[in-house]
Amino acid sequence: MEICVIGTGYVGLVTGTCLADMGNNVICIDNNKEKINQLKEGIIPIYEPGLEELIRSNVKEKRLIFSTNLSEAVKASKACFITVSTPQDTDGSCDLTAVISVTKDIAKSLNEYKVIVNKSTVPIGTAEKQKDIIKNITSVPFDIVSNPEFLKQGAAVDDFLSPDRVIIGSDSEKASQVMKEIYSSYFRISDRMIFMDVKSAEMTKYAANSFLASKISFINEIANICEKVGADVEKVRLGITSDQRIGRQFLFPGIGYGGSCFPKDVSALISVAKQNNVDSSLLQAVKDININQRELFVRKILNYYNGNVKDKTFAIWGLAFKPKTNDMREAPSITVINELLNKGAKIQAYDPHAIESAKRIFGDKILYAPSAYDTLKNSDALVLLTEWNEFRRLNIEKVTSMVKDLVIFDGRNQYNRNELKNAGITYINVGFCER
């Protein structure tokens, strides 16, 4: 099928590439000429395992092309996927400026029946607004479908090509048939498509992300209680996750969630609830706990140094909000590093893929090391903020020979307490208090 994907950010690039890999002819559109030129030259703006290889192979097969000409792409396509950014507005609601702008541009370019697919995360009722906008511009027939994405950064390609489910919100049988054709390869194994009305599909995205965020905030609140009563949250976690009703995913204590989805979607759903006079105390608590978790971790560091970290040098391992991505949107590392800098500390940081992203945030306020162990040179303490696999096996000899104060602050509970204790290293993590 001929498809255009409008917006070549994280969601758009993965979506367009994977749709092309499924045998469709895809035009990826963006109004950023520099980005499109880079993509044409094979320069990929995001890090996502497996994505670069897929882009190269599908460009070579001429199933995937990049362009700035939206009108031409819309006219040549049967389905138009909207994957532009929907950032959080100042009041916590979802900013639909880009979605509305693209909707108007699509309307002006309609030459025959099209299915317009919302892949961007949008508030409930957005499709209805889009329909009104398009009908005021053109009489050409169209349908709007909600097809929310559920891509985990670091595993997005696999998630798209082998999804748990594909949600299709459609009020038109004709549009539903087009979507079935697009995702037809999924039917070879099992029926993974779930059809529902558009509003329910829009709500499903927010509900799913808010529930996962709730699990993270729940285990972090349990961790905070464990510290006060003398329990070990790791043992508690093992105890509760062995219950199949609870499950193991997203129940790891730490310094909270970040990224482009959870913070934004929780805030947006709170805003939707408020607009409809619905109490959202649980969601508000999820949001508050997550913000507080970062502050509590900084407090652990400050308490160890009796509130004075002026001129202390901290080796920071991990900057991205999670492993296997270079994304630093809403990353806990930003809060932790800024708090330490404000207290007069010095930062030497390393991340396998997020250094360039960090430079756009911190500039020359911190030192960027070429490797994890280079951060330890002249450092007073080691601080782990992102649980990259390469950080899991700790070279204790290097740590003891290079870190002056022999202390590790672990925001992801990655290391063995007894092993570090035997090496003379003070280990401060989340959800455990030595008594």
Side-chain angles (χ1 to χ4, degrees):
M1 186 181 297
E2 306 295 328
I3 296 171
C4 69
V5 176
I6 304 167
T8 60
Y10 179 83
V11 173
L13 202 51
V14 173
T15 298
T17 303
C18 290
L19 286 173
D21 202 59
M22 291 161 61
N24 300 290
N25 295 317
V26 179
I27 307 172
C28 281
I29 300 295
D30 204 288
N31 59 7
N32 185 326
K33 292 182 180 179
E34 183 181 353
K35 182 191 286 189
I36 290 298
N37 288 335
Q38 287 180 337
L39 285 166
K40 287 179 177 179
E41 293 172 7
I43 301 171
I44 314 305
I46 62 172
Y47 172 73
E48 181 63 38
L51 181 61
E52 184 172 348
E53 294 82 356
L54 277 187
I55 289 176
R56 292 186 189 282
S57 64
N58 283 282
V59 167
K60 184 178 180 181
E61 295 295 328
K62 298 183 179 179
R63 288 193 299 265
L64 178 64
I65 64 174
F66 300 99
S67 172
T68 57
N69 194 326
L70 183 145
S71 179
E72 188 177 277
V74 170
K75 288 175 182 176
S77 301
K78 188 172 184 179
C80 305
F81 283 70
I82 297 177
T83 60
V84 295
S85 175
T86 52
Q88 183 176 318
D89 214 335
T90 52
D91 63 354
S93 64
C94 180
D95 183 350
L96 286 173
T97 302
V99 170
I100 298 302
S101 177
V102 166
T103 300
K104 291 178 180 177
D105 289 340
I106 291 173
K108 294 171 186 175
S109 304
L110 289 180
N111 57 338
E112 59 184 357
Y113 174 79
K114 311 284 181 185
V115 175
I116 301 167
V117 185
N118 279 332
K119 202 74 175 168
S120 300
T121 301
V122 296
I124 300 87
T126 298
E128 289 184 346
K129 293 179 182 178
Q130 291 172 288
K131 284 181 181 179
D132 292 338
I133 290 170
I134 296 173
K135 286 178 180 178
N136 285 330
I137 295 174
T138 181
S139 59
V140 176
F142 68 93
D143 280 309
I144 294 183
V145 166
S146 175
N147 176 213
E149 55 87 14
F150 298 98
L151 305 177
K152 298 187 296 293
Q153 287 181 252
V157 171
D158 287 341
D159 283 347
F160 196 103
L161 297 176
S162 300
D164 293 327
R165 76 288 200 205
V166 176
I167 302 294
I168 304 294
S170 173
D171 299 323
S172 158
E173 182 56 34
K174 186 175 182 180
S176 296
Q177 289 302 319
V178 171
M179 297 306 292
K180 283 182 181 180
E181 184 180 343
I182 291 173
Y183 289 108
S184 59
S185 62
Y186 294 155
F187 289 97
R188 294 177 184 175
I189 300 174
S190 62
D191 188 350
R192 304 182 196 174
M193 297 186 75
I194 302 173
F195 286 88
M196 58 183 70
D197 62 278
V198 173
K199 284 188 176 181
S200 294
E202 291 171 336
M203 183 65 184
T204 296
K205 169 67 174 180
Y206 282 112
N209 278 354
S210 295
F211 180 73
L212 295 176
S214 299
K215 293 182 74 174
I216 295 170
S217 287
F218 171 80
I219 195 63
N220 279 330
E221 184 155 292
I222 294 298
N224 296 337
I225 298 172
C226 285
E227 287 186 15
K228 295 297 183 181
V229 302
D232 184 343
V233 73
E234 282 303 307
K235 294 174 181 175
V236 174
R237 184 183 68 80
L238 289 173
I240 64 173
T241 58
S242 61
D243 187 329
Q244 293 182 358
R245 296 170 301 172
I246 295 174
R248 299 178 183 277
Q249 292 186 316
F250 291 87
L251 284 171
F252 293 92
I255 48 176
Y257 57 79
S260 62
C261 292
F262 288 4
K264 175 173 70 74
D265 291 354
V266 170
S267 292
L269 194 51
I270 291 170
S271 178
V272 169
K274 189 178 295 183
Q275 291 167 16
N276 289 276
N277 297 315
V278 177
D279 180 74
S280 60
S281 301
L282 176 60
L283 292 172
Q284 186 62 52
V286 168
K287 179 179 178 179
D288 293 343
I289 291 168
N290 192 61
I291 295 171
N292 190 49
Q293 200 66 14
R294 306 172 187 200
E295 301 293 339
L296 288 174
F297 186 72
V298 173
R299 203 175 305 158
K300 289 173 187 285
I301 299 173
L302 296 177
N303 288 344
Y304 181 82
Y305 288 104
N306 297 315
N308 183 14
V309 294
K310 184 174 173 56
D311 294 327
K312 289 286 183 182
T313 299
F314 292 94
I316 303 291
W317 283 10
L319 295 165
F321 85 93
K322 63 177 288 188
K324 298 182 180 180
T325 181
N326 62 346
D327 196 343
M328 285 191 61
R329 286 175 288 183
E330 300 289 338
S333 63
I334 298 173
T335 303
V336 174
I337 290 173
N338 279 332
E339 290 284 345
L340 292 175
L341 289 174
N342 290 339
K343 296 290 184 180
K346 300 174 183 178
I347 302 296
Q348 299 176 168
Y350 171 74
D351 187 285
H353 290 282
I355 293 294
E356 292 305 314
S357 300
K359 286 179 179 178
R360 290 192 287 271
I361 296 169
F362 299 113
D364 60 1
K365 293 179 183 178
I366 68 176
L367 178 68
Y368 307 94
S371 74
Y373 289 97
D374 280 317
T375 66
L376 302 184
K377 295 174 182 177
N378 302 312
S379 69
D380 292 287
L382 169 60
V383 182
L384 177 74
L385 299 181
T386 312
E387 64 276 31
W388 286 92
N389 284 341
E390 69 178 75
F391 301 153
R392 290 187 182 277
R393 292 185 65 109
L394 192 67
N395 188 323
I396 293 178
E397 278 189 22
K398 282 191 175 181
V399 173
T400 55
S401 66
M402 298 174 76
V403 177
K404 297 176 186 176
D405 294 337
L406 292 183
V407 58
I408 295 176
F409 300 95
D410 184 355
R412 300 299 180 181
N413 288 9
Q414 209 168 233
Y415 299 126
N416 184 295
R417 172 176 300 279
N418 292 330
E419 191 176 301
L420 295 178
K421 186 176 181 180
N422 291 336
I425 299 172
T426 300
Y427 182 57
I428 299 173
N429 65 332
V430 178
F432 182 87
C433 181
E434 194 93 53
R435 290 175 183 266

